[in-house]
Amino acid sequence: MELADAGARIVNMSLSLESGMSKGHHTVKDALDYVAAHGVIVVAAAGNDGAIDGTVVTRHRSVLPVVTYNLQGWPGRMTNIGRSIGQRGIGVVADGLMSLGPGGRARPYGGTSAAAAVVTGAAALIWSELPKTSPEELISAMKGNPSRRTSVVPPLMNAWQAFESLLAPRN
């Protein structure tokens, strides 16, 4: 909520919520409702438990859940999937990414947290070029096909296609 109040337009969430903490889940839902009302996009890692389920975060109507895909184009072996993730989310190939580790050394980085960071960066880049785009327009463009999805697995993100689809009405 403080990020929304400070003017943030995109928030990246990568967290694990313990089951059985209903009070904590209500607090998270209330915070997500608050940022949604302030036009903030929330990009959230779907999780790496290999579960077919969602959380209070990935089920929230305003959250863009993100899964990881492997280099062969299949959902990552341990990525969480589920109805809300498949209907409203997107995926990103996150195998082979490198990040900085201890001592400034490069190390492999992956999973849904890495995928969510890629989506957040793509959304921020598109928004920097098209700042008058509404959060709803940006999320819709990022998800691609606007038809109602029924799969538990979301499609791969195509950031260039999202950018072009948002740019077209302006030209």
Side-chain angles (χ1 to χ4, degrees):
M1 292 166 49
E2 289 176 12
L3 293 170
D5 290 341
R9 295 184 77 190
I10 303 175
V11 173
N12 180 321
M13 293 180 69
S14 180
L15 62 119
S16 178
L17 298 172
E18 294 182 32
S19 59
M21 294 184 56
S22 61
K23 181 180 179 189
H25 289 194
H26 288 295
T27 302
V28 171
K29 183 191 174 303
D30 291 345
L32 292 171
D33 289 342
Y34 183 86
V35 298
H38 287 78
V40 176
I41 292 176
V42 177
V43 177
N48 302 304
D49 301 315
I52 300 177
D53 197 9
T55 66
V56 66
V57 174
T58 59
R59 284 189 296 265
H60 195 274
R61 62 182 162 64
S62 68
V63 170
L64 181 59
V66 180
V67 303
T68 185
Y69 276 74
N70 63 27
L71 294 172
Q72 291 73 39
W74 293 96
R77 186 172 54 88
M78 296 305 292
T79 195
N80 293 353
I81 55 176
R83 183 172 165 242
S84 61
I85 296 167
Q87 289 178 347
R88 292 191 337 276
I90 57 176
V92 172
V93 174
D95 281 358
L97 296 180
M98 298 299 286
S99 184
L100 291 178
R105 292 194 173 98
R107 69 173 191 90
Y109 181 61
T112 60
S113 295
V118 170
V119 170
T120 302
L125 182 59
I126 292 170
W127 235 347
S128 73
E129 290 295 314
L130 303 169
K132 293 183 180 175
T133 303
S134 74
E136 296 79 17
E137 290 172 323
L138 181 55
I139 288 174
S140 179
M142 297 286 289
K143 291 191 295 188
N145 186 354
S147 66
R148 184 133 175 97
R149 293 189 237 153
T150 57
S151 173
V152 297
V153 181
L156 279 166
M157 174 185 72
N158 183 330
W160 181 251
Q161 183 178 26
F163 175 73
E164 286 187 323
S165 73
L166 291 167
L167 187 61
R170 289 163 173 79
N171 288 338

